[in-house]
Amino acid sequence: MDVTILEHDKNKIKLELSGETHTFANLITKELWKDPSVIISGYHQKHPQTPKVTLILETEKKDAKKVLLDTLESLKKDASDFKTKFKKAVK
């Protein structure tokens, strides 16, 4: 995956994720909505057969970059917890 920053200021960030589709972008945007400072969290894919999505995040007061990094850490923790529980379940 390649990440290109298309736009960035304190409260807004717009990224292009090359090599990704709806699955990954949807996961991130849904998790971002858990933060009450998020005004806009969404993504756009021009064509379903194009592995490139544009992710948009806008916050009310918090730094958009920090909100995105915190969200990615939360997803990482959730994935790790799931992995641990799954390994335990299949023993």
Side-chain angles (χ1 to χ4, degrees):
M1 167 187 3
D2 290 321
V3 178
T4 304
I5 298 174
L6 303 174
E7 189 178 326
H8 178 239
D9 61 36
K10 182 173 175 17
N11 299 98
K12 184 176 182 181
I13 192 161
K14 186 175 183 181
L15 309 168
E16 184 177 81
L17 308 175
S18 298
E20 292 299 330
T21 60
H22 288 284
T23 306
F24 191 61
N26 192 38
L27 179 67
I28 294 170
T29 56
K30 285 190 181 273
E31 188 73 17
L32 282 166
W33 279 117
K34 293 179 182 179
D35 189 312
S37 71
V38 171
I39 298 169
I40 297 171
S41 172
Y43 68 92
H44 173 71
Q45 185 175 14
K46 289 184 181 182
H47 191 277
Q49 293 180 335
T50 305
K52 188 183 292 188
V53 294
T54 302
L55 181 74
I56 301 165
L57 167 63
E58 190 171 339
T59 61
E60 192 170 11
K61 295 179 182 177
K62 290 184 181 177
D63 180 12
K65 184 176 87 173
K66 179 167 179 10
V67 169
L68 182 56
L69 288 170
D70 290 348
T71 295
L72 295 172
E73 278 300 317
S74 176
L75 288 170
K76 183 178 174 181
K77 183 184 177 308
D78 288 348
S80 179
D81 290 347
F82 175 75
K83 180 180 176 181
T84 301
K85 290 175 183 176
F86 178 71
K87 281 182 172 182
K88 201 178 222 184
V90 295
K91 276 190 172 184

